[in-house]
């Protein structure tokens, strides 16, 4: 039976309590299907990172259901979640979080180690993964010798090392100098073309137009509008989407 790679239903996330409560997700439902590329857009503070964190089992929702490959994650004990993340989910964040004292290759090998792959086999696999993101010649380079775009590509190779069923990207290019964005977007587009299941927060319009199957606009912890990129970028219906797109459409 075909089932979503990740599905959340009626997810609510409230940070804090009482007068200080922040309603980051007010009630969100989303299914990401195998091979699908879903894009999340919306202003800062709209709940995008919170939703990604809940879907990636980094963060427990206040209420609602989270299903990963058909298993109800919200019913699992906290101690089961690392294994679920390890088996299913690859994260790429704005910051690269590479270990500065390890080479690019060793950073990827560290992830392979979590999968039980070590030694010469891990070395070969790390080289292949770095080649996949266009960094075959940087296996022995340290993060300090890499550009931001190269570091982010190492981070993508490291996430791929986990052989994730779903890749979650949270504004992967927002810390990069403009001239370095393209090389990271290219790697993401290649992944999308290869059939990777992806949930991506980005405002890069080239990726949105060329790679996304579905675009969702969030604001204030709810989905404002969703549709196919062609439809939503040419004829957004909701005034909040229209206003937002005016800033980014180019
Ligand atoms: P986005 O990624 O769209 O910018 P976030 O999911 O980071 O939005 O944040 C949604 C809302 O939740 C914001 O109002 C933010 O300030 C708040 N928030 C996020 N993380 C926390 C936290 N750990 N504690 C309290 N409030 C938080
Ligand atoms: Mg965010």
């Amino acid at each position: 039976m075909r089932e979503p790679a990740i599905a959340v239903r009626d997810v609510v996330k409230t940070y804090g309590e009482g007068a200080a409560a922040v309603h980051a997700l007010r009630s969100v439902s989303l299914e990401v299907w195998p091979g699908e590329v879903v894009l999340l857009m919306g202003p800062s503070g709209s709940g995008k990172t919170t939703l990604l964190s809940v879907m990636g089992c980094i963060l427990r929702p206040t209420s609602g259901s989270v299903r990963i490959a058909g298993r109800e994650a919200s019913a699992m004990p906290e101690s089961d979640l690392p294994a679920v993340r390890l088996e299913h989910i690859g994260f790429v964040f704005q910051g690269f979080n590479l270990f500065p004292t390890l080479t690019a290759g060793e950073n990827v090998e560290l992830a392979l180690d979590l999968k039980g792959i070590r030694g010469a086999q891990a070395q070969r696999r790390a080289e292949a993964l770095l080649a996949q993101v266009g960094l075959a010649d940087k296996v022995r380079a340290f993060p300090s010798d890499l550009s931001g775009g190269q570091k982010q590509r190492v981070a993508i190779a490291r996430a791929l090392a986990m052989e994730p069923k779903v890749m979650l990207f949270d504004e992967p290019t927002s810390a990069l100098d403009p001239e370095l964005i393209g090389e990271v977007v290219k790697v993401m587009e290649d992944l999308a073309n290869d059939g990777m299941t992806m949930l991506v927060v980005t405002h890069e319009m080239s990726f949105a137009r060329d790679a996304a199957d579905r675009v969702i606009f969030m604001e204030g912890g709810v989905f404002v509008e969703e549709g196919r990129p062609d439809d939503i970028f040419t004829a957004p219906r909701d005034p909040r989407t229209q206003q937002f797109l005016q800033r980014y459409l180019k």
Side-chain angles (χ1 to χ4, degrees):
M1 197 185 69
R2 209 167 163 262
E3 63 192 356
I6 310 186
V8 293
R9 184 174 289 268
D10 303 328
V11 156
V12 172
K13 178 67 195 183
T14 307
Y15 296 105
E17 283 172 20
V22 177
H23 301 282
L25 297 175
R26 288 173 185 274
S27 180
V28 170
S29 298
L30 172 62
E31 294 176 341
V32 181
W33 291 86
E36 202 182 14
V37 177
V38 178
L39 208 83
L40 277 180
M41 289 186 158
S44 176
S46 56
K48 305 179 300 295
T49 295
T50 301
L51 178 57
L52 236 58
S53 307
V54 166
M55 294 188 83
C57 299
I58 295 179
L59 186 69
R60 292 267 200 192
T62 305
S63 63
S65 151
V66 180
R67 294 179 77 82
I68 310 276
R71 285 180 71 202
E72 182 60 53
S74 46
M76 292 175 197
E78 194 78 29
S79 54
D80 281 6
L81 296 181
V84 171
R85 287 196 294 266
L86 204 64
E87 188 180 342
H88 293 280
I89 296 160
F91 287 102
V92 179
F93 303 103
Q94 181 181 330
F96 327 111
N97 298 321
L98 301 178
F99 283 96
T101 56
L102 301 180
T103 63
E106 288 163 347
N107 267 281
V108 177
E109 282 175 46
L110 207 58
L112 290 165
D113 187 82
L114 293 172
K115 282 270 178 190
I117 303 171
R118 303 192 178 98
Q121 195 193 354
Q123 256 175 33
R124 279 196 304 276
R125 185 91 187 95
E127 281 170 22
L129 286 160
L130 286 167
Q132 188 182 340
V133 298
L135 294 175
D137 56 341
K138 297 293 180 191
V139 175
R140 276 162 208 91
F142 287 92
S144 55
D145 297 322
L146 299 174
S147 72
Q150 290 168 335
K151 278 189 270 210
Q152 190 60 297
R153 285 188 282 150
V154 175
I156 293 173
R158 178 183 56 188
L160 287 171
M162 311 306 286
E163 296 178 51
K165 317 269 188 311
V166 187
M167 295 273 286
L168 305 181
F169 291 84
D170 194 358
E171 308 209 35
T173 61
S174 58
L176 301 179
D177 293 334
E179 70 273 18
L180 301 176
I181 290 174
E183 65 192 57
V184 173
V185 168
K186 163 83 168 55
V187 168
M188 292 168 65
E189 288 180 351
D190 288 347
L191 283 174
N193 288 333
D194 285 348
M196 178 60 79
T197 309
M198 298 165 70
L199 178 60
V200 182
V201 178
T202 187
H203 298 127
E204 282 310 312
M205 286 309 296
S206 65
F207 182 84
R209 281 205 180 87
D210 300 341
D213 297 307
R214 190 148 57 107
V215 181
I216 298 170
F217 280 88
M218 286 189 78
E219 197 166 322
V222 294
F223 291 174
V224 165
E225 186 166 355
E226 101 174 63
R228 295 157 53 85
D230 284 351
D231 299 331
I232 214 162
F233 295 137
T234 45
R237 292 182 306 272
D238 193 285
R240 290 166 292 184
T241 316
Q242 288 162 8
Q243 199 181 27
F244 181 83
L245 283 174
Q246 272 169 14
R247 287 176 50 205
Y248 288 99
L249 270 183
K250 23 178 181 350

